[in-house]
């Protein structure tokens, strides 16, 4: 094994709903659509959505069919600038993302905003705060 992540998969009970969100609201083009598994074109790492029952069958673990609760992951989407965070947040909320927390400057030196997908997964938009040269 290499210590490298090649694929991130979001598990869901409603693949078509999440596919529409990630395709139409966030702009990820679909690479492969097999109804219960959809992979998107995403730079750097493969990104997919898979029906929870498929993972239950593949692994033999019925825990994949238990009701999901809590937040166990976050996707962070880079923006070109702090003002781009504001614009992207407005655009995706207007397109159907659930607002969680509007853009704000954070103590770790980034402007961030949080939104949720239709399953309630909370994700982040971010950009480094630009500091004027000294």
């Amino acid at each position: 094994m290499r210590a490298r992540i090649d694929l991130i998969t979001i598990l869901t009970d409603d693949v078509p709903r999440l596919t529409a969100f990630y395709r139409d609201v966030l702009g990820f083009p679909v690479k492969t659509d097999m109804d219960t598994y959809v992979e998107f074109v995403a730079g750097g790492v493969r990104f997919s959505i898979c029906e929870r029952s498929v993972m239950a069958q593949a692994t033999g673990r019925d825990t994949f069919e238990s009701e999901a609760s809590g937040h166990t992951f976050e996707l962070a989407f880079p923006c070109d600038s702090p003002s781009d965070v504001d614009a992207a947040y407005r655009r995706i909320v207007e397109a159907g993302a659930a607002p969680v927390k509007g853009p704000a400057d954070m103590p770790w030196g980034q402007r961030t905003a949080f939104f949720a997908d239709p399953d309630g997964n909370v994700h982040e938009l971010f950009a480094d705060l630009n500091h004027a040269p000294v």
Side-chain angles (χ1 to χ4, degrees):
M1 181 193 100
R2 291 180 273 158
R4 184 183 96 189
I5 295 173
D6 185 67
L7 173 68
I8 294 173
T9 302
I10 297 176
L11 303 177
T12 186
D13 292 321
D14 194 339
V15 172
R17 179 180 68 173
L18 278 192
T19 297
F21 178 82
Y22 286 93
R23 181 192 61 224
D24 301 340
V25 175
L26 298 185
F28 286 96
V30 172
K31 177 181 178 182
T32 305
D33 187 342
M34 300 185 316
D35 295 325
T36 58
Y37 175 86
V38 173
E39 189 169 316
F40 299 96
V41 176
V45 67
R46 292 169 45 221
F47 174 52
S48 67
I49 295 170
C50 185
E51 192 170 278
R52 293 165 53 83
S53 63
V54 169
M55 287 300 292
Q57 183 180 19
T59 64
R61 296 188 60 134
D62 62 359
T63 55
F64 283 105
E65 295 182 312
S66 302
E67 184 176 342
S69 65
H71 296 281
T72 58
F73 76 100
E74 173 203 55
L75 300 177
F77 299 95
C79 295
D80 293 330
S81 67
S83 63
D84 189 32
V85 170
D86 297 7
Y89 182 76
R90 277 191 307 274
R91 182 184 55 77
I92 66 172
V93 167
E94 288 171 3
V100 172
K101 184 176 188 293
D105 294 347
M106 297 299 183
W108 52 84
Q110 292 179 327
R111 184 150 182 90
T112 65
F114 297 92
F115 66 92
D117 71 17
D119 276 5
N121 300 307
V122 175
H123 303 309
E124 173 183 353
L125 300 168
F126 73 94
D128 290 335
L129 293 170
N130 293 326
H131 300 285
V134 177

